[in-house]
Amino acid sequence: MTIYRDLSKDAALALGQGLIAGVDEVGRGPLVGNVVTAAVILDPLRPIVGLNDSKKLSEKKRDALFELIMDNALCVAIGAATPAEIDQLNILHATMLAMQRAVAGLSKRPERVLVDGNRTPDFGIPADAVIKGDGLIAAISAASIIAKVTRDREMVELDSRFPQYGFSAHKGYPTKAHFAAIAQYGVLPEHRRSFRPVRQALGLE
């Protein structure tokens, strides 16, 4: 595995050529819900304009690009690890597992996997890590958008079941509003019990 740092735009473009699967994750920091990953192989004959790090895009733009990616990519797969898996494995290893699941779910086998960040799990395929790859490699940008929109929609669904927690607003992250809801209404089965604020709410710390 190579870790690519400080890639120029030209170097990033060259690295992203071929049957490349871009992989990214969303949801390592929240106190609740799955960590979600996506793997995307883009179609060079059907380029998508406007791809970027999902965090730099508005919700409206992410949603529009989500549909474009789903309609125009060669293949897309989503992976996840549950709160129970996160508690058992820890968040890092659960994230790596979710990435493996996403790549395994692709309908086409990529020549290489490029992962946002500084590490990759074993995919059984050559793989490299790209620091800030979600803003440099189109396939990783696409994966970041798919993962972000997917997890946000999961939080909206959870909000519909437990509106008192405000999940559609804070998406499960450790905000004052989330802490206040846990203090008032308690810990849900969907909360990650290995995360310190949840453990504290349960009286385990």
Side-chain angles (χ1 to χ4, degrees):
M1 181 195 77
T2 300
I3 301 175
Y4 291 94
R5 305 174 187 273
D6 302 318
L7 279 180
S8 67
K9 288 187 177 180
D10 287 343
L13 186 62
L15 186 63
Q17 297 301 307
L19 199 64
I20 297 297
V23 174
D24 202 3
E25 56 75 24
V26 171
R28 286 177 65 168
L31 306 178
V32 70
N34 298 335
V35 59
V36 176
T37 60
V40 178
I41 302 177
L42 293 174
D43 186 346
L45 301 180
R46 303 175 79 181
I48 300 169
V49 176
L51 293 175
N52 200 349
D53 173 1
S54 64
K55 297 184 292 296
K56 296 181 179 179
L57 301 170
S58 67
E59 182 178 0
K60 182 178 179 180
K61 184 66 173 175
R62 284 195 302 266
D63 286 341
L65 285 167
F66 179 95
E67 300 302 330
L68 285 172
I69 296 162
M70 296 300 290
D71 289 343
N72 291 283
L74 286 176
C75 53
V76 176
I78 295 165
T82 65
E85 289 173 323
I86 292 167
D87 292 340
Q88 179 184 3
L89 299 172
N90 78 38
I91 185 60
L92 174 60
H93 288 99
T95 301
M96 296 295 107
L97 175 61
M99 287 182 175
Q100 289 172 323
R101 288 171 172 167
V103 171
L106 290 168
S107 59
K108 294 182 180 292
R109 183 178 174 87
E111 298 168 353
R112 180 172 296 276
V113 180
L114 297 178
V115 178
D116 181 57
N118 60 5
R119 67 180 68 210
T120 77
D122 181 5
F123 296 110
I125 300 169
D128 297 309
V130 184
I131 304 293
K132 298 184 179 178
D134 49 6
L136 292 169
I137 307 290
I140 301 179
S141 300
S144 79
I145 292 164
I146 295 295
K148 172 68 173 166
V149 172
T150 298
R151 191 178 191 283
D152 282 357
R153 289 176 179 177
E154 289 181 0
M155 288 296 99
V156 171
E157 191 277 331
L158 193 64
D159 184 87
S160 71
R161 292 161 53 202
F162 304 102
Q164 65 271 34
Y165 287 82
F167 292 127
S168 64
H170 56 66
K171 302 299 190 292
Y173 281 89
T175 64
K176 288 183 178 180
H178 194 179
F179 290 145
I182 292 173
Q184 183 172 358
Y185 302 109
V187 173
L188 295 170
E190 291 81 3
H191 276 103
R192 302 172 182 179
R193 282 157 169 72
S194 56
F195 280 39
R196 190 173 186 183
V198 180
R199 290 180 61 81
Q200 289 174 332
L202 290 167
L204 299 175
E205 285 196 12

